[in-house]
């Protein structure tokens, strides 16, 4: 489907048949969308264009109705037309290519160049023939169209002038004089147009009219603007008086034709145009291969209307800079040749040619000849006030008035690896478009999406690298290509032909930048390669000996990126190149060692700060340095680094990462030492946290056997009891914590004392000692509050939450859980956050909010799985089983519960086994399977008695009562319920009303059978 705005609004099918768009508001909507075809127009702008200051009562709904009408009209015109009007944040877009709109075809024609006057005449004549009247003719007074109308009208006049020039060059003097008469009258102050008209009159033999026209123009300029004619007009006047031929035609604007669509740079083009409209010198800077030249061409092509007297592009990479004395002359000569001038000495003829013109000079690839370019640009801008300069350079020109536009790599994909989400990233769109062109049949789909995302990230969104990589898809496929990017310079060699040699391979691009560096800059760049993920200025100084002034120069040269956080980093391709140079210099081993020493020291300082009020700060520091910390072991610092990072890995829930690091360290350093013993303890802890089917008690005993130092052993006993407090031999866990607590109190270590108290408080659940549980938790919370430790506050509150839940204080439990969740999320402690989400789910379950309970548990399970936090995963999934059971979905409940049973058995999770067996037994009972219920509850009772938890034993007895009553043994069932009630009462933890559903169901069955009721409302055992 095609659209017309160069005249009254019109729509045609691809076959040329007109498409009717009725109703004024719908036509207005289409017109607004056509002011920016292919780009979203915000909803508020659409509403303003349609209704101004009198919007309907429901403007959004009414707008959607108009959109539907427009879609219907387009669909009736041509099948598929409906899809052209796309909802795209922040509004709607007419999803059509620029060439589908006559204005787009017109502007594209203006950006092309022809080699001779005849070809230029035909090209521009065809472009002008697209006009059917004034632009947006039926919306001439509409505010939304004003800018577009002005831009298109300016472009039309520029095209008319270029067309007239081409015809004058062909000798069509009389025809041009006649053609320009009306436009010159309509634009009485447009000097360029009048100069062409006067010249045409003069060459057509109408010298008197030409001279009279000049005097009339001079008077108008003086009266209306208080200005004299431009030097060009004055020179034309003198030539006409002398009877000479008029000045030679100006060189036609020269811009290279674009071979491919510019992808992912729409905002950058508009930003560049805006900068160029406001400032006379704009420099596009960025690393090699980022697409500065292509962007400059697009900005210039879109700015032709603003520079009616010419747009020229000068390739300065061709200047020979081998002889300094000739470089300035070479630069000036290159510019002069681009302008069609013969003389270039000192740049004076260039300034004379440009004086009085509203022109644009694009100076491309300035970095090798920076000083002479800066000098020439400064002089031309001073001598030619109408001139604007758009430069591309890997570093700024550094002269007065310069405005920089940093051209970053294309935006990268986010975490969502679905094809639709990936297409939002400019890097992905470019790679996919080029790959599809190079490898017919290639498409972004579920199979290719993860590899495409990886390629775009590994290549930093650098357009040249992406285009080179795309040429390899046909031979390698995206999966193999992604795997080979560690050897990127070989893989991305010989990928494309044509164009400058410096842009044919990835290595050549970076070689070009490397060659521009001074010796100190090369030293700094290659040493910076040992940093992974960037570094602070202090780290650059400590590891590489690189000062801020050298870093600043490398930033200016677009080889180092300075982030908003003040860090300095290398693009991955630059880092790979610099690492090769580091190896060539024989420095890799030394600077790997210095890197490891620096970051090990940082980790050890952080380890001290992670227990106390600076916990948040040090977590952020270590998060920022995660890549460097991961790379540091290559420098060899033994166990120092991994031991220092252990608590950080625990707080962040990076259990598997920690397990791998400790396994590698222990394998690399088999000699016995206290540090090795500490590392082995940490490995045991993280193995329990992530392990599948590993008996936690067996692991604990093996790890503790290696400890000799009393304090180190106490810390190990606390840690190994803390990480799996609910699993293994709970009584043994409690004894270990008691021993550790005594050591901590004796040594006056308040942090470890508070930690041991919190763990002991949770262990008190196992034997139903609620008083001790509350006492230890309160003491722990007070100590951690004094110490200002966020994790400690969370840990102490955990036992308080359990106490509140057991005693039925659900409001207090929910408050503590919400506070804890907020703190865990703020600190990025995701396993802790998962536990608190599931805890809130338990409270919702107990208060009857089953939908909320399910959602909270699902969120908790997802978070736990993402961080491989097995205990949190178990807690969340068991909770989902409880919710499903409460909702009556017994199949789902059983599936959730059985999913965790195998893991619990593998790690010796006796208390958890008892609870899950009880729930499975209740499910069997509710299904009417007395035998299965009896077997499950009998097994659960054995597990509960092994733990010694009176609440767990009571739950199993209640389950057995249900199984017996289902089998008709009502007297025995009543006795079991009474025994369970006595156990709960003795523990000071009577069953809260919200948890009495099973007991009441069972008691009701017994009452129905015997008719006997005990004083407390339950069934009375038979006499």
């Amino acid at each position: 489907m095609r659209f017309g705005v160069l005249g009254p609004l019109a729509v045609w099918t691809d076959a040329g048949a007109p498409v009717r768009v009725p109703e004024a508001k719908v036509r207005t909507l289409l017109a607004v969308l056509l002011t920016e075809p292919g780009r979203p127009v915000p909803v508020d702008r659409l509403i303003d264009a349609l209704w101004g200051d009198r919007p309907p009562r429901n403007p959004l709904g009414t707008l959607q109705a108009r959109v539907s009408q427009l879609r219907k009209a387009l669909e009736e015109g041509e099948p598929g037309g409906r899809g052209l009007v796309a909802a795209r944040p922040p509004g709607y877009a007419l999803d059509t290519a620029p060439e589908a709109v006559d204005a787009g075809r017109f502007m594209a024609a203006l950006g092309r160049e022809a080699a001779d006057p005849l070809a230029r005449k035909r090209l521009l004549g065809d472009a002008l023939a697209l006009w059917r009247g004034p632009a947006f003719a039926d919306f001439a007074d509409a505010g939304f169209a004003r800018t577009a109308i002005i831009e298109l009208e300016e472009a039309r006049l520029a095209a008319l002038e270029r067309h007239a020039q081409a015809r004058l060059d062909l000798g069509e003097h009389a025809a041009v004089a006649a053609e320009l008469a009306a436009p010159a009258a309509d634009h009485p102050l447009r000097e360029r147009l009048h100069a062409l008209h006067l010249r045409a009159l003069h060459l057509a033999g109408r010298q008197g009219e030409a001279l009279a026209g000049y005097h009339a123009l001079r008077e108008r300029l003086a009266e209306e603007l208080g200005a004299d004619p431009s030097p060009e007009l004055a020179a034309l006047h003198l030539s006409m008086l002398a009877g000479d031929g008029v000045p030679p035609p100006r060189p036609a604007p020269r811009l290279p034709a674009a071979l491919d669509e510019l992808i992912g740079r729409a905002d950058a083009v508009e930003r560049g145009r805006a900068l160029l409209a406001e400032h006379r010198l704009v420099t596009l800077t960025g690393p090699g291969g980022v697409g500065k030249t292509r962007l400059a061409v697009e900005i210039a092509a879109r700015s032709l209307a603003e520079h009616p007297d010419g747009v020229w592009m000068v390739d300065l990479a061709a200047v020979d800079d081998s002889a300094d004395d000739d470089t300035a002359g070479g630069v000036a000569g290159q510019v002069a040749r681009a302008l069609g001038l013969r003389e270039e000495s000192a740049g004076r003829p260039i300034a004379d040619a440009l004086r009085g013109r509203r022109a644009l000079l694009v100076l491309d690839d300035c970095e090798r000849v920076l000083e002479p370019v800066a000098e020439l640009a400064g002089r031309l801008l001073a001598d030619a006030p109408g001139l604007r300069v758009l430069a591309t350079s890997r570093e700024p020109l550094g002269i007065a008035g310069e405005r920089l536009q940093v051209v970053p790599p294309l935006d990268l994909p986010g975490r969502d690896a679905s094809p639709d989400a990936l297409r939002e990233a400019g890097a992905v769109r470019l790679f996919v478009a080029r790959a599809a062109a190079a490898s017919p049949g290639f498409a972004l789909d579920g199979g290719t999406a993860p590899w495409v995302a990886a390629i775009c990230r590994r290549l930093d969104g650098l357009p040249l690298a992406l285009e080179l990589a795309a040429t390899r898809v046909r031979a390698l496929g995206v999966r193999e290509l992604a795997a080979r990017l560690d050897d990127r310079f070989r893989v991305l060699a010989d990928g494309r032909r044509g164009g400058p040699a410096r842009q044919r391979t990835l290595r050549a691009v970076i070689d070009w930048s490397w060659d521009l560096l001074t010796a100190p800059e090369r030293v700094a760049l290659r040493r910076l390669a040992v940093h992974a993920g960037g570094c602070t200025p202090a780290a650059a100084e400590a590891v590489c000996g690189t000062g801020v002034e050298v870093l600043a120069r490398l930033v200016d040269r677009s080889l180092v990126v300075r982030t908003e956080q003040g860090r300095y980093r290398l693009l991955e391709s630059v880092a790979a190149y610099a690492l090769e140079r580091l190896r060539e210099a024989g420095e890799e081993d030394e600077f790997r060692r210095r890197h490891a020493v620096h970051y090990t020291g940082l980790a050890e300082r952080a380890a001290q700060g992670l227990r106390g009020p600076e916990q948040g700060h040090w977590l952020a520091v270590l998060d920022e340095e995660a890549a460097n910390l991961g790379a540091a072991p290559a420098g060899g610092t033994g166990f120092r680094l991994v031991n220092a990072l252990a608590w950080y890995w625990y707080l962040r829930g990076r259990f598997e990462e920690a397990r791998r690091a400790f396994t590698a360290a222990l394998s690399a350093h088999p000699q016995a030492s206290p540090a090795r013993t500490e590392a082995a303890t940490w490995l045991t802890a993280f193995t329990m946290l992530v392990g599948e089917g590993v008996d936690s008690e067996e692991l604990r005993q093996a790890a503790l056997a290696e400890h000799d130092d009393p304090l180190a052993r106490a810390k190990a006993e606390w840690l190994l009891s803390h990480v799996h407090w609910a699993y293994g031999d709970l009584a043994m866990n409690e004894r270990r914590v008691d021993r550790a607590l005594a050591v901590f109190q004796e040594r006056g270590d308040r942090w470890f004392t508070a930690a041991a108290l919190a763990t002991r408080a949770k262990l008190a659940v196992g034997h139903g000692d609620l008083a001790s549980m509350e006492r230890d938790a309160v003491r722990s919370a007070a100590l951690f509050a004094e110490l200002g430790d966020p994790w400690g506050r969370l840990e102490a509150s955990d036992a308080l939450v359990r106490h509140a839940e057991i005693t039925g204080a659900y409001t207090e439990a929910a408050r503590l859980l919400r506070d804890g969740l907020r703190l865990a999320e703020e600190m990025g402690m995701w396993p802790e956050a998962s536990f608190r989400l599931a805890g809130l789910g338990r409270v919702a379950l107990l208060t009857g909010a089953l939908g909320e309970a399910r959602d909270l548990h699902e969120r908790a399970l997802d978070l736990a799985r993402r961080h491989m936090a097995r205990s949190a995963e178990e807690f969340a999934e068991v909770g989902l089983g409880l919710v499903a059971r409460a909702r009556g979905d017994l199949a789902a409940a059983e599936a959730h519960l059985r999913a965790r049973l195998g893991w619990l058995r593998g790690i010796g999770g006796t208390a958890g086994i008892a609870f899950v067996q009880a729930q499975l037994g209740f499910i069997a009972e509710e299904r009417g399977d007395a035998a299965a219920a009896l077997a499950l509850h009998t097994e659960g009772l054995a597990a509960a008695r092994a733990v010694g938890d009176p609440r767990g034993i009571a739950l199993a007895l209640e389950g057995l009562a249900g199984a017996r009553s289902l089998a008709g043994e009502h007297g025995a069932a009543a006795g079991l319920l009474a025994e369970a009630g006595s156990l709960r009462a003795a523990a000071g933890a009577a069953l809260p009303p919200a948890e009495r559903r099973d007991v009441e169901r069972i008691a009701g069955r017994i009452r129905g059978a015997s008719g006997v009721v005990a004083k407390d409302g339950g069934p009375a055992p038979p006499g």
Side-chain angles (χ1 to χ4, degrees):
M1 193 168 288
R2 296 184 173 272
F3 301 86
V5 296
L6 302 181
L9 183 68
V11 186
W12 305 275
T13 65
D14 287 335
V19 175
R20 183 168 174 266
V21 180
E23 216 275 314
K25 293 297 185 188
V26 180
R27 289 178 60 79
T28 301
L29 171 62
L30 177 59
V32 181
L33 296 176
L34 282 167
T35 61
E36 296 187 69
R39 300 186 64 190
V41 180
V43 165
D44 55 356
R45 184 177 156 197
L46 291 170
I47 291 172
D48 183 66
L50 266 63
W51 294 288
D53 56 2
R54 300 184 66 183
R57 181 171 300 175
N58 179 11
L60 183 58
T62 310
L63 173 62
Q64 290 169 341
R66 297 291 180 266
V67 168
S68 295
Q69 288 177 271
L70 176 57
R71 286 171 170 163
K72 180 181 178 183
L74 297 180
E75 183 69 24
E76 289 175 350
E78 189 166 82
R82 170 182 297 277
L84 294 177
V85 183
R88 191 177 303 155
Y92 292 92
L94 188 67
D95 204 359
T96 189
E99 60 269 19
V101 185
D102 55 7
R105 297 198 298 281
F106 174 72
M107 296 302 289
L110 295 195
R112 293 194 289 271
E113 190 48 70
D116 59 82
L118 181 59
R120 286 197 296 275
K121 171 189 170 182
R122 289 172 177 166
L123 175 68
L124 293 165
D126 290 345
L128 289 165
L130 294 169
W131 287 73
R132 299 168 288 106
F136 290 93
D138 31 6
F139 299 96
D141 298 326
F144 72 83
R146 187 174 301 117
T147 299
I149 290 171
I150 292 171
E151 289 183 353
L152 288 169
E153 177 62 18
E154 182 65 28
R156 186 186 70 83
L157 289 171
L160 183 65
E161 291 163 354
R162 291 169 60 191
H163 186 243
Q165 183 69 68
R167 296 179 69 190
L168 287 176
D169 294 345
L170 293 169
E172 300 177 15
H173 307 139
V176 172
E179 179 185 288
L180 295 186
D186 292 339
H187 300 276
L189 300 177
R190 191 177 178 91
E191 293 184 69
R192 165 80 168 149
L193 182 62
H194 280 273
L196 288 164
H197 186 221
L198 296 178
R199 180 169 178 261
L201 289 170
H202 178 79
L203 292 174
R206 299 161 63 181
Q207 287 85 355
E209 291 178 64
L211 290 171
Y214 171 79
H215 289 297
L217 176 61
R218 183 178 64 182
E219 290 175 3
R220 282 196 301 275
L221 290 170
E223 289 175 4
E224 298 190 30
L225 301 179
D228 294 325
S230 67
E232 181 189 23
L233 273 171
L236 173 63
H237 180 228
L238 291 175
S239 297
M240 292 189 299
L241 287 174
D244 299 334
V246 295
R250 295 177 177 177
R254 292 183 179 179
L255 285 174
L259 300 179
D260 286 308
E261 177 191 2
L262 182 63
I263 295 174
R265 295 296 194 195
D267 290 342
V269 170
E270 293 308 311
R271 189 160 57 251
R273 291 188 66 198
L275 280 172
L276 204 54
E278 189 173 349
H279 305 286
R280 296 183 58 216
L281 171 60
V282 175
T283 301
L284 305 180
T285 67
V290 81
K292 300 182 293 295
T293 298
R294 180 68 180 85
L295 179 60
V297 170
E298 190 74 14
I299 291 171
R302 296 278 301 276
S303 302
L304 292 175
E306 292 86 356
H307 306 94
D309 297 330
V311 176
W312 297 272
M313 188 162 189
V314 185
D315 180 9
L316 295 172
V319 174
D320 182 3
D321 62 337
S322 59
D324 292 343
D325 293 342
D326 298 328
T327 303
V331 169
Q334 193 77 353
V335 174
R337 283 189 289 277
L339 294 174
L341 303 175
R342 295 181 180 176
E343 301 293 333
E344 71 278 350
S345 59
R348 177 53 54 190
I350 301 173
D352 291 342
L354 293 173
R355 187 177 292 108
R357 295 190 178 192
R358 291 168 58 198
L360 173 63
L361 197 58
V362 182
L363 303 177
D364 189 35
D365 283 319
C366 300
E367 55 269 4
R368 274 189 180 269
V369 286
L370 206 62
E371 290 190 13
V373 168
E375 182 181 351
L376 178 62
R379 186 162 62 249
L380 294 179
L381 289 167
D383 291 347
L387 175 68
R388 276 173 159 69
V389 173
L390 177 62
T392 75
S393 177
R394 300 189 190 187
E395 59 182 300
L397 301 188
I399 61 177
E402 180 181 32
R403 292 296 181 273
L404 297 182
Q405 180 177 348
V406 178
V407 183
L410 293 171
D411 54 297
L412 296 172
R415 291 183 177 179
D416 187 347
S418 66
D420 287 344
L422 292 183
R423 289 188 187 96
E424 296 296 317
V428 172
R429 292 201 303 276
L430 176 65
F431 178 81
V432 169
R434 302 298 186 257
S439 178
F442 172 78
L444 181 67
D445 55 29
T448 60
W451 306 109
V452 170
I455 291 166
C456 292
R457 293 191 190 101
R458 292 289 310 275
L459 295 178
D460 297 298
L462 205 64
L464 177 64
L466 293 171
E467 293 190 347
L468 291 171
T471 66
R472 316 304 284 172
V473 170
R474 184 179 180 187
L476 298 175
V478 288
R479 181 171 184 166
E480 184 67 17
L481 175 59
R484 289 173 177 260
L485 286 182
D486 285 341
D487 192 15
R488 66 189 61 204
F489 296 116
R490 187 172 64 83
V491 173
L492 303 185
D494 304 323
R496 71 187 203 181
R497 301 179 180 88
R502 68 183 185 280
Q503 292 184 351
R504 291 179 189 168
T505 69
L506 185 59
R507 183 183 296 282
V509 169
I510 306 177
D511 278 338
W512 177 268
S513 294
W514 177 266
D515 291 344
L516 296 175
L517 300 180
T518 64
E521 291 165 351
R522 291 181 182 180
V523 169
L525 184 64
R526 72 181 184 233
R527 292 177 180 176
L528 285 170
V530 299
H531 290 280
C535 64
T536 63
E541 175 68 30
V543 176
C544 309
T546 302
V548 175
E549 66 285 350
V550 178
L551 285 172
R553 289 202 299 272
L554 289 171
V555 171
D556 281 344
R557 293 180 184 272
S558 301
L559 283 167
V560 172
V561 178
R562 185 180 184 277
T563 69
E564 292 180 359
Q565 294 75 33
R567 291 173 65 80
Y568 295 89
R569 70 177 184 89
L570 307 182
L571 298 181
E572 189 172 329
S573 296
V574 174
Y577 180 93
L579 187 58
E580 287 188 2
R581 294 291 188 172
L582 188 71
R583 288 168 182 156
E584 289 173 7
E587 294 183 335
E588 184 179 10
D589 289 345
E590 169 62 14
F591 284 90
R592 292 282 189 201
R593 185 193 64 77
R594 293 177 64 170
H595 175 272
V597 169
H598 174 78
Y599 286 100
T600 297
L602 175 69
E604 288 174 334
R605 292 194 300 277
Q608 299 300 315
L610 282 175
R611 290 189 170 98
E614 295 185 342
Q615 189 173 87
H617 164 73
W618 285 108
L619 283 172
V621 168
L622 295 180
D623 286 346
E624 201 167 54
E625 300 295 358
N628 279 311
L629 295 165
T637 54
F639 295 109
R640 287 176 55 199
L641 180 64
V642 290
N643 286 341
L645 287 174
W647 191 240
Y648 164 72
W649 282 325
Y650 175 78
L651 292 178
R652 279 288 181 254
R654 297 178 181 175
F655 305 149
E656 183 58 42
E657 177 185 349
R659 189 164 70 120
R660 288 195 303 268
F662 278 107
T663 299
L666 288 161
S667 176
H669 304 281
Q671 299 83 6
S673 68
R676 192 182 197 284
T677 300
E678 181 182 352
T681 301
W682 279 113
L683 176 59
T684 300
F686 286 115
T687 299
M688 289 194 292
L689 286 164
V690 304
E692 292 284 355
V694 178
D695 190 302
S696 59
E697 183 56 37
E698 183 180 328
L699 282 175
R700 271 187 277 247
Q701 290 177 2
L704 291 171
E706 299 183 21
H707 284 274
D708 296 322
D709 178 71
L711 180 59
R713 182 180 177 85
K715 290 180 179 180
E717 288 196 301
W718 167 76
L719 174 66
L720 296 176
S721 298
H722 160 72
V723 296
H724 260 207
W725 68 269
Y727 312 115
D729 188 334
L730 301 191
M732 180 61 76
N733 279 349
E734 192 163 11
R735 288 195 293 274
R736 288 175 184 140
V737 172
D738 283 339
R739 287 197 300 266
L741 179 59
V743 174
F744 300 148
Q745 290 174 328
E746 179 186 344
R747 301 293 181 98
D749 191 319
R750 295 200 302 157
W751 191 94
F752 275 100
T753 296
L757 284 168
T759 306
R760 192 170 72 171
K762 290 191 292 188
L763 285 165
V765 176
H767 49 77
D769 189 351
L770 300 187
S772 296
M773 179 185 189
E774 183 177 27
R775 182 179 63 249
D776 283 347
V778 169
R779 286 177 60 199
S780 175
L783 274 173
F784 276 130
E786 292 173 15
L787 293 167
D789 187 288
W791 173 85
R793 288 160 50 199
L794 285 169
E795 180 65 10
S797 73
D798 187 43
L800 294 172
V801 167
R802 293 174 189 276
H803 185 276
E805 185 180 318
I806 290 169
T807 57
Y810 300 135
T811 301
E812 175 64 6
R815 183 191 68 78
L816 289 168
L817 286 164
R818 282 193 295 270
D819 290 347
L821 176 61
R822 186 163 50 249
L823 180 57
E825 289 178 337
E826 286 173 2
M827 301 297 293
M829 297 175 184
W830 303 116
E832 299 289 347
S834 174
F835 275 119
R836 276 139 190 89
L837 279 169
L840 285 167
R842 293 291 204 277
V843 173
L845 168 65
L846 293 170
T847 54
L850 300 185
E852 181 184 358
R854 181 186 58 196
D855 292 345
L856 286 163
H857 279 105
E858 285 177 346
R859 287 171 56 195
L861 182 60
D862 177 66
L863 193 57
R865 282 176 172 164
R866 281 191 278 125
H867 291 273
M868 298 185 70
R870 301 298 188 195
S871 294
E873 190 177 332
E874 178 242 328
F875 189 60
E877 188 154 24
V878 167
L880 282 171
L882 298 179
V883 174
R885 205 183 137 223
R887 294 168 67 93
D889 189 347
L890 300 183
E894 183 175 17
H896 283 301
L897 293 165
R898 288 198 179 279
R900 307 316 306 167
L901 195 55
W903 182 76
L904 285 166
R905 286 176 173 148
I907 63 169
T910 312
I913 292 170
F915 183 80
V916 171
Q917 291 285 86
Q919 298 303 316
L920 291 170
F922 284 128
I923 291 171
E925 179 219 324
E926 288 184 273
R927 285 174 170 162
D929 189 341
L934 184 62
L936 287 162
H937 285 303
T938 299
E939 188 178 346
L941 179 60
R945 283 179 170 155
V947 175
D949 176 7
R951 294 173 62 249
I953 295 170
L955 181 65
L957 292 173
E958 289 157 355
L960 282 170
R964 291 291 183 86
S965 69
L966 188 62
E969 301 173 23
H970 303 298
L976 290 167
L977 281 185
E979 184 181 352
S982 298
L983 278 172
R984 291 187 183 278
L991 203 60
E995 297 183 53
R996 293 186 60 83
R997 183 173 72 92
D998 289 318
V999 169
E1000 288 175 354
R1001 184 188 69 254
I1002 295 163
R1005 185 187 302 130
I1006 296 169
R1007 283 196 299 270
S1010 65
V1012 181
V1013 179
K1015 293 181 180 178
D1016 64 357

